[in-house]
């Protein structure tokens, strides 16, 4: 295990192929939800894959039960606007995803599996949920039919963001 071994290890480390990371975005969520149901829904563009890194909400206007849901189909109906999606690096292209912010709850799509999160969030509370940390698998949405829904139990004003990366 002399100097030859050390040089060989250094060469192996230096020749590891650099894989660029996919573009990362943050969608701002600020919505006055009109009642129980979806307050927001993140929908990938057709043929795109979103990897969700984090969901953050701070101090809702009233205590509310909040649920994070993965759905097999996008919701329908309801009244919504689109939340602004900002690239974390100005050189990234515009995201193909959209985030609907609902003022009147839609008819939700079909839920996939159990809730990703469910809990009461008080007026002084913060929700910060990370995905893909500590060796865990990230939350992945594939194509326009897999969505991430933010569901609330009552009329409420919520403010926060969802951070995600996107691949074609």
């Amino acid at each position: 295990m002399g100097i030859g071994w050390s040089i060989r290890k250094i060469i192996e480390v230096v020749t590891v192929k650099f894989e660029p990371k996919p573009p990362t975005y943050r969608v701002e969520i600020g919505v006055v939800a009109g009642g129980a149901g979806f307050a927001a829904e993140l929908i990938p563009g057709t043929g795109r894959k979103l990897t969700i890194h984090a969901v953050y909400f701070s101090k809702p206007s009233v205590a509310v039960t909040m649920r994070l849901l993965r759905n097999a189909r996008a919701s329908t109906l309801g009244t919504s606007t689109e939340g602004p999606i900002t690239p974390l690096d100005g050189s990234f292209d515009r995201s193909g995803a959209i985030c609907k912010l609902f003022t009147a709850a839609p008819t939700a799509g079909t839920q996939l599996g159990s809730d990703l999160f469910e809990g009461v969030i008080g007026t002084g509370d913060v929700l910060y949920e990370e995905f893909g940390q500590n060796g865990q698998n990230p939350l992945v949405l594939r194509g326009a039919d897999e969505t991430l829904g933010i569901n609330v139990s009552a009329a409420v004003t919520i403010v926060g963001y969802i951070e995600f990366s996107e691949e074609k």
Side-chain angles (χ1 to χ4, degrees):
M1 193 164 82
I3 193 161
W5 180 87
S6 297
I7 291 172
R8 211 172 21 255
K9 283 294 178 194
I10 290 171
I11 291 171
E12 287 175 18
V13 170
V14 170
T15 59
V16 171
K17 183 179 176 186
F18 173 72
E19 295 284 337
K21 292 185 178 192
T24 303
Y25 302 88
R26 195 173 271 187
V27 58
E28 178 185 332
I29 297 174
V31 65
V32 179
F38 273 18
E41 184 174 32
L42 180 61
I43 306 167
T46 302
R48 301 209 181 194
K49 177 177 105 173
L50 300 186
T51 301
I52 309 301
H53 302 292
V55 176
Y56 171 84
F57 287 99
S58 174
K59 303 177 183 177
S61 60
V62 297
V64 66
T65 299
M66 188 175 286
R67 298 169 53 212
L68 304 181
L69 313 166
R70 187 169 159 241
N71 290 312
R73 277 192 302 265
S75 59
T76 56
L77 306 172
T79 304
S80 67
T81 58
E82 284 190 24
I85 298 176
T86 304
L88 295 185
D89 180 330
S91 70
F92 295 157
D93 291 336
R94 183 188 182 290
S95 172
I98 62 167
C99 186
K100 292 182 178 181
L101 306 177
F102 293 100
T103 54
T107 302
T110 305
Q111 185 174 346
L112 290 171
S114 302
D115 292 354
L116 300 166
F117 171 86
E118 180 176 5
V120 176
I121 308 298
T123 57
D125 294 339
V126 170
L127 166 65
Y128 183 71
E129 187 76 20
E130 287 184 305
F131 298 96
Q133 301 297 313
N134 302 317
Q136 300 296 315
N137 289 327
L139 173 58
V140 177
L141 306 174
R142 289 183 170 83
D145 287 334
E146 288 190 16
T147 73
L148 175 61
I150 312 301
N151 184 288
V152 294
S153 62
V156 64
T157 300
I158 59 172
V159 177
Y161 66 83
I162 301 172
E163 189 172 290
F164 66 93
S165 56
E166 179 179 64
E167 298 176 68
K168 292 180 184 180

